[in-house]
Amino acid sequence: MKRLKLGALLVSLAISALLTGCDSDNNDRVDVPDNPVPEPEPVTVGFEVTVTNLTHGQPLSPIAVVAHGSTLQGWTVGEPSSSGLELLAEGGDNSEFLMAFEDAGNFASISAEAPLGPGGTDSFSLSFAEEEEILLTVATMLVNTNDAFSGVTRIDISALAVGESLQRLAPVYDAGTEFNSELAGTIPGPADGGEGFNAEREDTNFVARHPGIVSRADGYTESVLNQSHRFDQPAMLLSITRTE
């Protein structure tokens, strides 16, 4: 009887030790977390902007195209031109104009590589991460002028669906930074080949719709411009299509 009790006791102790070991293993177990959900890939949007020069005798300087948010603007009628806009409107150089947008955090920007002649068409492709609000600014100089530029700013293209398009006519503005003298040596385009940008501001110093030129055909004998350089209508037709 004593041997049986001792044997039973040993078995009981062994089972107890085994169970204790199992509890210890359970307490030391490290739960493996579920696989983290990957971040969704950013959605890319794409737009094609086609520009047609509607003028009879005004080549357009390399066109600047910018997609940006609601806090940015290319110009404001009645307000002074930025230094970048002055450089563009007087000399056709859009580098500083585009750099100001880039420094402020635009979505995407592009520039043409060459001027666009009368009747010509050029296209630009923009691609960037999708944003809630997408605005478009396009600008160029009418190079046979002192400081005329054409463009649109803050055109809302957010609601365009893929494959959908909209069109806009771009008026002509006066940068207000250089007097519209039309004298020889003051116009950078092929009608004169004169000076482009001049840092001195000698006109109204605010942006306004351009009143047009007064050519030799209008009796202004000192002008280097002729009737082919006139403009009394929008200078550009813009067609904007969402591609992705």
Side-chain angles (χ1 to χ4, degrees):
M1 292 296 292
K2 290 181 179 179
R3 290 180 181 178
L4 289 176
K5 289 181 178 180
L6 180 59
L9 179 60
L10 292 174
V11 171
S12 177
L13 290 173
I15 293 173
S16 177
L18 181 61
L19 293 175
T20 301
C22 290
D23 290 342
S24 177
D25 289 343
N26 288 339
N27 291 335
D28 293 340
R29 185 178 62 197
V30 177
D31 292 332
V32 178
D34 295 334
N35 290 332
V37 178
E39 291 289 333
E41 292 293 327
V43 177
T44 300
V45 296
F47 296 88
E48 182 171 274
V49 181
T50 300
V51 179
T52 301
N53 182 341
L54 301 177
T55 71
H56 181 76
Q58 287 286 347
L60 303 178
S61 68
I63 296 166
V65 181
V66 188
H68 56 88
S70 60
T71 60
L72 306 182
Q73 184 154 323
W75 58 88
T76 300
V77 171
E79 296 293 330
S81 296
S82 65
S83 58
L85 182 61
E86 179 185 13
L87 186 61
L88 182 152
E90 291 185 13
D93 181 355
N94 64 31
S95 57
E96 186 174 336
F97 182 78
L98 287 172
M99 185 61 68
F101 275 97
E102 292 171 11
D103 289 346
N106 66 277
F107 306 147
S109 63
I110 191 170
S111 171
E113 295 182 356
L116 181 64
T121 298
D122 205 351
S123 293
F124 307 85
S125 294
L126 298 171
S127 182
F128 49 93
E130 187 174 39
E131 300 285 345
E132 289 186 5
E133 188 172 32
I134 304 169
L135 306 181
L136 189 74
T137 291
V138 181
T140 181
M141 178 192 184
L142 280 66
V143 298
N144 285 325
T145 66
N146 289 102
D147 63 342
F149 70 97
S150 180
V152 296
T153 189
R154 294 176 58 84
I155 298 299
D156 193 342
I157 57 175
S158 310
L160 284 179
V162 175
E164 191 175 11
S165 300
L166 63 81
Q167 292 187 323
R168 290 288 186 273
L169 290 168
V172 181
Y173 295 95
D174 189 331
T177 58
E178 183 175 312
F179 185 64
N180 299 326
S181 68
E182 302 173 16
L183 297 175
T186 68
I187 292 175
D192 180 29
E195 179 187 55
F197 171 71
N198 187 320
E200 182 181 357
R201 297 196 175 191
E202 56 181 10
D203 199 8
T204 62
N205 199 30
F206 63 82
V207 175
R209 289 291 291 269
H210 204 290
I213 68 162
V214 183
S215 70
R216 293 193 301 272
D218 301 306
Y220 181 27
T221 58
E222 295 184 351
S223 174
V224 297
L225 304 180
N226 59 47
Q227 63 270 26
S228 72
H229 302 125
R230 291 173 176 155
F231 48 88
D232 58 2
Q233 298 178 14
M236 294 189 293
L237 172 64
L238 310 179
S239 180
I240 304 147
T241 302
R242 182 168 175 178
T243 56
E244 62 176 311

